[in-house]
């Protein structure tokens, strides 16, 4: 059995994460890889309640409050879902993780990265994903996709300059951790993005089997 891996998917709103998440999970399960699928904020009963608060577009809160709620949900997520699943040998696939906090609360809201780094260290210690797939797309295309499929939540309704700061923060984070974060051009057709993801998964599977 391959050793357990922790994979996260990241991107601005409208980058196509949901479509690729479904394909990724199907690809792993076809290969009999035990897989747990989860999301942030959320993943636990408490996390889902916090998600409802954080995404409620009628809610107004201080940026630091927002960050603290995100990390509170993450602490519970790690304790109840991620760490136990990895310990049992399952691969964990999460729609967003800590890179999203650096992008949205750091880049979007303007919180100092030092504060987020302190929360990251406190909340998860040295645990990091084995692989992070960052789907990079322009703000204009991301907003077009979001507007075409659903009513916007509290983050999705932010102005384009907010989402541009989020994208720039993601790219900065990718430059900071190039060994973990793989940037995938999400402007490509869905099948091309899927092929790029499967190539990375094949490499990770090969590494896990050694």
């Amino acid at each position: 059995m391959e050793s357990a891996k922790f994979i996260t998917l990241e991107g601005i709103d409208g980058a196509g994460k949901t479509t690729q998440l479904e394909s990724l999970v199907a690809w792993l399960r076809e290969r009999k890889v035990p897989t747990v699928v989860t999301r942030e904020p959320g993943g636990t009963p408490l996390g889902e309640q916090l998600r409802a608060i954080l995404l409620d577009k009628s809610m107004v809160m201080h940026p630091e409050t927002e960050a603290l709620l995100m990390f509170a949900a993450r602490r519970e997520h790690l304790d109840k879902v991620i760490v136990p699943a990895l310990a049992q040998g399952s691969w964990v696939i999460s729609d967003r993780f800590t890179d999203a906090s650096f992008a949205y609360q750091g880049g979007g809201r303007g919180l100092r990265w030092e504060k987020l780094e302190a929360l990251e260290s406190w909340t998860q210690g040295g645990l990091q994903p084995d692989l992070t797939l960052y789907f990079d797309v322009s703000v204009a295309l991301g907003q077009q996709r979001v507007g075409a499929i659903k009513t916007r939540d509290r983050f999705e309704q932010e102005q384009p300059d907010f989402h541009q700061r989020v994208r720039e923060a993601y790219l900065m984070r990718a430059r900071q951790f190039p060994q973990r974060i793989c940037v995938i051009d999400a402007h490509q057709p869905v099948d091309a993005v899927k092929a790029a993801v499967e190539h990375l998964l094949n490499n990770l599977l090969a590494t896990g089997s050694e």
Side-chain angles (χ1 to χ4, degrees):
M1 179 65 66
E2 296 83 5
S3 61
K5 300 293 183 184
F6 181 23
I7 302 175
T8 57
L9 285 72
E10 300 282 358
I12 66 170
D13 298 301
K17 288 186 297 82
T18 301
T19 299
Q20 294 303 323
L21 174 66
E22 293 170 355
S23 297
L24 183 160
V25 171
W27 190 93
L28 286 172
R29 288 178 174 166
E30 285 172 4
R31 286 153 183 77
K32 310 301 182 186
V33 177
T35 307
V36 171
V37 185
T38 188
R39 67 179 182 177
E40 289 206 350
T44 67
L46 175 58
E48 291 297 325
Q49 290 187 45
L50 291 174
R51 178 187 181 89
I53 293 170
L54 286 159
L55 300 189
D56 183 348
K57 57 187 177 184
S58 70
M59 191 68 63
V60 178
M61 66 183 74
H62 191 282
E64 290 183 355
T65 303
E66 182 179 280
L68 288 166
L69 289 176
M70 288 288 186
F71 276 96
R74 184 165 298 130
R75 177 61 259 176
E76 193 74 1
H77 196 201
L78 284 160
D79 182 63
K80 299 295 192 298
V81 177
I82 296 172
V83 172
L86 292 171
Q88 292 168 8
S90 293
W91 287 39
V92 176
I93 315 300
S94 183
D95 184 347
R96 301 198 189 282
F97 192 59
T98 306
D99 295 306
S101 292
F102 284 87
Y104 281 85
Q105 284 73 57
R109 303 295 189 208
L111 291 184
R112 291 175 54 191
W113 280 36
E114 292 85 352
K115 291 186 176 182
L116 297 171
E117 287 167 348
L119 288 170
E120 178 184 34
S121 177
W122 184 37
T123 301
Q124 64 201 67
L127 178 66
Q128 291 289 348
D130 295 286
L131 173 66
T132 296
L133 305 172
Y134 167 61
F135 299 94
D136 186 50
V137 71
S138 69
V139 170
L141 181 55
Q143 292 290 286
Q144 179 183 332
R145 289 173 175 173
V146 168
I149 60 175
K150 61 180 178 179
T151 303
R152 302 187 182 202
D153 65 31
R154 183 167 162 271
F155 291 97
E156 292 165 342
Q157 72 176 2
E158 290 286 351
Q159 295 301 308
D161 60 337
F162 172 88
H163 294 285
Q164 184 60 39
R165 294 194 301 273
V166 171
R167 183 188 184 194
E168 290 169 359
Y170 265 130
L171 290 169
M172 185 182 303
R173 187 83 167 160
R175 290 191 295 271
Q176 187 178 4
F177 300 103
Q179 73 284 2
R180 172 174 66 80
I181 303 176
C182 294
V183 179
I184 298 172
D185 182 0
H187 299 89
Q188 303 176 88
V190 171
D191 286 346
V193 176
K194 180 181 176 183
V197 170
E198 291 179 358
H199 174 72
L200 293 167
L201 290 175
N202 266 317
N203 291 341
L204 192 59
L205 259 177
T207 301
S209 300
E210 292 175 356

